[in-house]
């Protein structure tokens, strides 16, 4: 029983499995890296296959995915947003095909839940995630982002239970 957190990307997709229990812990985490020269459809297929494998191994009760954030003025806004959306689709299809509920979180929402500060830096988030989960080493950025998304979902889920709220899969919080 756990939460599969995902930081989507078509070249680098971070993943983290948060174990539920008396205290949250990382069951596994890492980055799926794919070569830029690999055709996009092959990368998406590989991501989909990795997601199905993670689901088969860890049997998560939920998949938490970070929503794309592309700041104003960034040169590759359309390309970045499209690539992240395509990577998200591979995750959504994998989770949906296994009947696992999907939850989506904005980056600021993840930072607020995990760091109690919506403008925390990447480095601060990496340190907080490592400390919260009792990790010996600070995970690389994409893996830390995925673990943070999983932690965010766990925190939101606990708050919803405490407040008696019912949130349906796919519903944004």
């Amino acid at each position: 029983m756990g939460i599969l957190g995902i930081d989507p990307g078509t070249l680098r997709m971070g993943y983290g499995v948060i174990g539920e229990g008396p205290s949250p812990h990382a069951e596994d985490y890492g980055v799926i890296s794919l070569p830029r020269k690999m055709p996009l459809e092959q990368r998406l297929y590989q991501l989909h296959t990795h997601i199905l494998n993670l689901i088969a191994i860890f049997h998560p009760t939920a998949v938490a995915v970070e929503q794309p954030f592309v700041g104003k003025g960034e040169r590759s806004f359309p390309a970045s947003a499209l690539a992240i959306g395509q990577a998200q689709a591979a995750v959504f299809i994998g989770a949906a095909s296994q009947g696992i509920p999907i939850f989506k979180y904005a980056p600021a929402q993840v930072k607020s839940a995990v760091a109690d500060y919506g403008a925390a830096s990447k480095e601060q988030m990496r340190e907080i995630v490592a400390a919260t989960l009792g990790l010996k080493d600070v995970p690389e950025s994409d893996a830390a982002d995925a673990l943070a998304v999983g932690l965010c979902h766990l925190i939101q889920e606990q708050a919803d239970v405490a407040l008696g709220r019912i949130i349906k899969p796919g519903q944004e919080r």
Side-chain angles (χ1 to χ4, degrees):
M1 303 286 278
I3 298 160
L4 174 58
I6 298 291
D7 178 32
T10 57
L11 295 173
R12 292 176 54 81
M13 179 180 283
Y15 70 90
V17 181
I18 303 292
E20 300 177 74
S23 60
H25 59 281
E27 291 188 18
D28 192 28
Y29 59 91
V31 176
I32 301 162
S33 296
L34 299 169
R36 186 177 298 280
K37 291 183 179 185
M38 180 184 281
L40 175 62
E41 60 274 13
Q42 288 298 315
R43 282 185 275 149
L44 293 173
Y45 175 73
Q46 289 294 318
L47 293 173
H48 174 73
T49 301
H50 280 286
I51 294 300
L52 290 177
N53 288 338
L54 288 167
I55 290 169
I57 293 166
F58 294 103
H59 308 287
T61 57
V63 174
V65 182
E66 188 171 52
Q67 293 286 67
F69 170 79
V70 183
K72 291 180 183 178
E74 288 195 26
R75 229 172 72 201
S76 62
F77 171 76
S80 295
L82 182 61
I84 293 170
Q86 290 167 327
Q88 280 183 316
V91 174
F92 294 165
I93 292 166
S97 74
Q98 302 303 305
I100 299 171
I102 301 161
F103 297 87
K104 299 168 237 156
Y105 297 94
Q109 189 176 6
V110 173
K111 290 177 180 184
S112 290
V114 176
D116 202 26
Y117 177 56
S121 71
K122 282 247 185 217
E123 191 55 39
Q124 288 170 325
M125 289 299 291
R126 289 177 64 210
E127 299 275 342
I128 291 167
V129 164
T132 301
L133 297 173
L135 302 176
K136 293 177 188 171
D137 299 316
V138 176
E140 61 181 291
S141 184
D142 295 312
D145 288 351
L147 288 167
V149 174
L151 278 171
C152 174
H153 178 71
L154 182 62
I155 291 164
Q156 291 296 324
E157 194 175 61
Q158 290 170 346
D160 291 340
V161 167
L163 296 171
R165 294 187 293 217
I166 299 172
I167 304 297
K168 295 178 180 144
Q171 180 178 344
E172 295 190 30
R173 295 175 185 242

